[in-house]
Each structure stands twice: as structure tokens, then as C-alpha cells.
Amino acid sequence: LQLYERCAGRRLSTSAPGQPSLSGDEQELVELLAGPDRDDPPLGSTAASPGLLRARRVALRSLRAMLRLTLEPIDLRPRLRLATT
């Protein structure tokens, strides 16, 4: 979240307690995490800081990979290979 805030140049805006909808920042963060692996558009002040933009891109890709490993089902069935002769 600190990287997101540094890129935005401000604190993350959150919904009020008990509010069923997400804030604009929360929605954007969810979309960034759910998005495909691509070059995301700069956020806030990152246009002036290429290093920060690269760090955010790497962090997003890494987090997306961890989420996929955690949330997607894993096929643990043994795979049989049939020999063709």
C-alpha cells in the first residue's frame, strides 16, 4: 500500500466503516490487482519517477502471481503418459 500511495502522491482513500461500496482508490487497487499482466498506465506522480513506476510494475506482477497461486485450484491428480509405439 505504501508503494501505491507513493505513486499516487497521497494517502489511500478508503470507504467509511460499514459502507458497502469501495472507495475510488480501493476500486482502482482491485482493478490493478485483477488486471492482466501488462504495462499499467502511470498513476499520479509516477510519470516523473520512472524508478517508482518500474517498482510498482514489478510489485503488481509479483502480487498477481502470488494471488493466482493462492486462489486458483491446483490439479493434483497424477498425470499418466501413454507410450506410443
Side-chain angles (χ1 to χ4, degrees), residues 36-57:
D37 251 349
R38 59 178 165 69
D39 291 340
D40 297 301
L43 173 67
S45 62
T46 54
S49 178
L52 195 54
L53 180 58
R54 281 191 298 273
R56 185 187 75 152
R57 185 177 299 129

Side-chain angles (χ1 to χ4, degrees), residues 6-84:
R6 290 283 309 268
C7 290
R10 59 182 170 72
R11 300 273 319 219
L12 177 75
S13 170
T14 59
S15 300
Q19 184 176 354
S21 61
L22 297 174
S23 72
D25 284 349
E26 290 170 324
Q27 184 63 42
E28 183 175 18
L29 188 56
V30 168
E31 289 171 8
L32 283 171
L33 294 176
D37 251 349
R38 59 178 165 69
D39 291 340
D40 297 301
L43 173 67
S45 62
T46 54
S49 178
L52 195 54
L53 180 58
R54 281 191 298 273
R56 185 187 75 152
R57 185 177 299 129
V58 169
L60 282 171
R61 287 180 181 170
S62 177
L63 187 52
R64 287 173 187 152
M66 288 187 287
L67 286 171
R68 281 187 203 109
L69 288 172
T70 302
L71 301 176
E72 290 182 359
I74 299 172
D75 185 7
L76 297 176
R77 294 176 291 172
R79 298 208 168 126
L80 298 176
R81 294 181 186 211
L82 301 175
T84 57

